[in-house]
Amino acid sequence: MHRVKDKACIVTGAALGIGRACALRLAEEGARLALFDVLDEAGAALAAELALLGASVRYWHVDVAREDSVRIAIEEAARHFGRIDVLVNNAGIAGTNRPTHEITEAEWDRVQAVNVKGVFFCVKHTIPHMKRAGGGSIINLSSIYGLVGAADVPPYHASKGAVRLMTKTDAMIYADAGIRCNSIHPGFIWTPMVEQHLRDSGAADMDQARADVARLHPLGRMGKPDDIAWAVVYLASDESGFITGSELVIDGGYTAH
Ligand code: NAP
């Protein structure tokens, strides 16, 4: 119940999917939560749900691809909670799913803006608050697609590979300040993003498409948002105090071959 008691945690992309599960589990374990998303209705509804459970929580409309939006919300969250202890860089988009030679510059740039620059902006504006708090934990959502290739979503692969190394660089830069920085690499997790990805890939029979994707994982199933959320709780907590610069793979064995 108290694994992250009173820690002030920012979760980006908190309204749906993995981010929502992270917010729920962190709240259950005693965290105070700043929820950032562009989906205001779902974000505000989640904040209300967590408040009913007794959590200290507030929702901010934040587009992580816009530096001003990130800076203002982080300043407000730090003022509201008095400190920032944990940043979960979860907001991300899959982007276009066509072969590299058919992708426009704008499509490429949009994925990098959200998935890469979004992480940069959030880290940049959180670090001063973590330094003031005497340390912190930054958790970046990369992907199995930041570790190995597959014949789809080229801009997404590039972005998640970048997040993996940004994590290690920041782990080195901020270790002296007591700030830990780790990446998580999920396999396919059943969320609105993956459902949309399967539709965009032309799946006519969704049950069949889900079963096909599940078979890519030796454990024989797709992941659940909670499979990631519990790892986020661990990396946010002091239980992981000696872990920084690491990549936590949660993929049902996808990358084990
Ligand atoms: P999701 O279901 O699409 O939820 C992501 C949330 O982030 C949505 O509410 C989304 O809003 C929001 N968001 C998108 N762009 C944003 C922006 N610019 N600023 C703020 N919020 C934004 O995604 P998910 O599957 O939970 O994925 C969460 C993270 O895990 C992503 O970084 C993803 O790359 C990573 N991941 C997921 C999987 C998987 O299989 N699901 C696997 C590996 C890694 P919209 O719906 O409006 O876009």
Side-chain angles (χ1 to χ4, degrees):
M1 285 293 285
H2 300 302
R3 293 171 68 193
V4 287
K5 188 161 172 46
D6 292 335
K7 287 187 191 289
C9 306
I10 295 173
V11 180
T12 72
L16 300 180
I18 293 171
R20 178 185 161 82
C22 292
L24 282 160
R25 295 305 178 195
L26 287 165
E28 266 177 27
E29 295 296 336
R32 298 177 294 155
L33 281 159
L35 309 178
F36 290 2
D37 208 294
V38 288
L39 296 179
D40 295 338
E41 206 173 309
L46 177 60
E49 184 182 335
L50 293 177
L52 274 179
L53 296 173
S56 172
V57 57
R58 206 174 130 184
Y59 171 75
W60 277 265
H61 176 95
V62 179
D63 178 350
V64 297
R66 291 185 42 233
E67 183 164 16
D68 265 4
S69 176
V70 168
R71 181 180 54 74
I72 291 166
I74 290 177
E75 276 171 16
E76 286 182 10
R79 213 173 307 127
H80 182 73
F81 293 111
R83 56 193 287 137
I84 303 292
D85 300 293
V86 175
L87 167 65
V88 183
N89 277 313
N90 167 77
I93 57 173
T96 191
N97 186 13
R98 293 200 306 281
T100 302
H101 69 283
E102 293 179 10
I103 291 170
T104 67
E105 184 177 4
E107 288 168 336
W108 181 272
D109 285 349
R110 181 61 192 157
V111 176
Q112 311 317 318
V114 176
N115 294 5
V116 181
K117 228 160 48 163
V119 171
F120 160 57
F121 289 151
C122 289
V123 170
K124 173 178 172 182
H125 292 287
T126 297
I127 286 291
H129 300 291
M130 288 188 167
K131 282 191 162 176
R132 212 166 298 130
S137 174
I138 296 172
I139 303 159
N140 293 331
L141 267 292
S142 176
S143 169
I144 49 172
Y145 278 15
L147 297 172
V148 296
D152 58 4
V153 287
Y156 184 82
H157 276 273
S159 72
K160 294 299 181 180
V163 168
R164 172 178 173 270
L165 269 185
M166 288 158 70
T167 305
K168 292 183 192 303
T169 306
D170 287 337
M172 302 291 286
I173 293 174
Y174 300 112
D176 281 352
I179 299 168
R180 301 183 293 107
C181 194
N182 295 288
S183 56
I184 292 184
H185 300 261
F188 283 86
I189 310 296
W190 186 244
T191 66
M193 176 191 276
V194 167
E195 188 171 355
Q196 191 58 47
H197 175 68
L198 295 184
R199 284 191 207 292
D200 292 348
S201 308
D205 179 343
M206 193 52 72
D207 289 340
Q208 185 58 48
R210 278 186 75 162
D212 291 345
V213 172
R215 263 196 302 280
L216 299 172
H217 305 75
L219 286 181
R221 67 168 173 91
M222 253 194 249
K224 307 183 294 285
D226 267 351
D227 291 322
I228 308 305
W230 286 121
V232 165
V233 169
Y234 172 62
L235 289 174
S237 78
D238 297 338
E239 296 162 19
S240 58
F242 198 47
I243 300 185
T244 198
S246 79
E247 41 195 66
L248 181 45
V249 180
I250 306 172
D251 69 351
Y254 182 107
T255 54
H257 328 87

